[in-house]
Amino acid sequence: MPETPVNSGSAMRTADITRNTNETRIRVAINLDGTGRQSIATGVPFLDHMLDQIARHGLIDLDIQAEGDLHIDSHHTVEDVGITLGQAFAKAAGNKAGLRRYGHAYVPLDEALSRVVVDFSGRPGLTYHVPYTRAMIGQFDVDLAREFFQGFVNHALVTLHIDNLRGENAHHQCETVFKAFGRALRMALEVDERQNGAVPSTKGVL
Ligand SMILES: [Mn+2]
């Protein structure tokens, strides 16, 4: 058996990613072993509110700054924040040795209830069922939430199942998804000491 570096203890599970294109300029810095501190300014206020949920409920420190082509619309900015955040998670999670790997959460908010299940599988896959009751949440097009998660999944290389099980208020529907996403990430990225630094896969690689 090859020696696998232990992904715990003093190893810093952090990443600092800058991604610049003709459409967006984005910097994401994360600490998986944080306390939920956040500094977030994407120019899309509702997205900031949702990213704050990931930090708070995932206990992940998030520093996210974005300058996008908002004169067109929010699409490129929301998608590219998802991509860059995904890249940061992939880097910070490293070889995933010692991690729980799987995480899940149910989160309610008044009448709304969502379930998110994540697997740091090394393969991108998104299953997304969120039957929004409105097309817009204020200025935010609800289609963009899916674009965010698709961008994240493609670059974090995770399997992600998102289901809004019920809800009447679209803000609540979306917020329960992001809160459950944060909670599921927190569970999956926890170091399980009983794994003693082993990669949680019979293949030995994720
Ligand atoms: Mn809210």
Side-chain angles (χ1 to χ4, degrees), residues 161-177:
H161 288 258
I162 295 176
D163 289 271
N164 172 247
L165 304 175
R166 59 180 71 97
E168 299 296 328
N169 179 289
H171 186 125
H172 290 174
Q173 288 177 293
C174 195
E175 190 162 326
T176 53
V177 164

Side-chain angles (χ1 to χ4, degrees), residues 46 49-50 53 109 137 169 171-172 174-176 179:
F46 186 75
H49 182 41
M50 293 300 104
Q53 308 301 330
L109 173 50
I137 302 170
N169 179 289
H171 186 125
H172 290 174
C174 195
E175 190 162 326
T176 53
K179 284 175 167 169

Side-chain angles (χ1 to χ4, degrees), residues 37-129:
R37 285 189 304 110
Q38 56 84 19
S39 172
I40 297 166
T42 66
V44 182
F46 186 75
L47 178 63
D48 292 356
H49 182 41
M50 293 300 104
L51 295 169
D52 193 8
Q53 308 301 330
I54 299 173
R56 190 65 53 90
H57 297 287
L59 293 181
I60 295 160
D61 292 344
L62 282 184
D63 185 345
I64 303 177
Q65 312 298 321
E67 289 177 35
D69 53 2
L70 298 178
H71 58 284
I72 297 173
D73 69 6
S74 303
H75 190 112
H76 300 141
T77 300
V78 175
E79 181 179 15
D80 291 1
V81 167
I83 288 170
T84 312
L85 190 65
Q87 291 175 338
F89 269 83
K91 185 165 185 209
N95 68 0
K96 294 166 256 183
L99 301 189
R100 294 195 188 283
R101 173 179 170 179
Y102 302 102
H104 63 269
Y106 287 82
V107 169
L109 173 50
D110 297 338
E111 89 298 342
L113 175 66
S114 293
R115 177 186 62 216
V116 173
V117 183
V118 66
D119 173 12
F120 277 76
S121 58
R123 300 185 298 277
L126 176 65
T127 303
Y128 185 85
H129 293 290

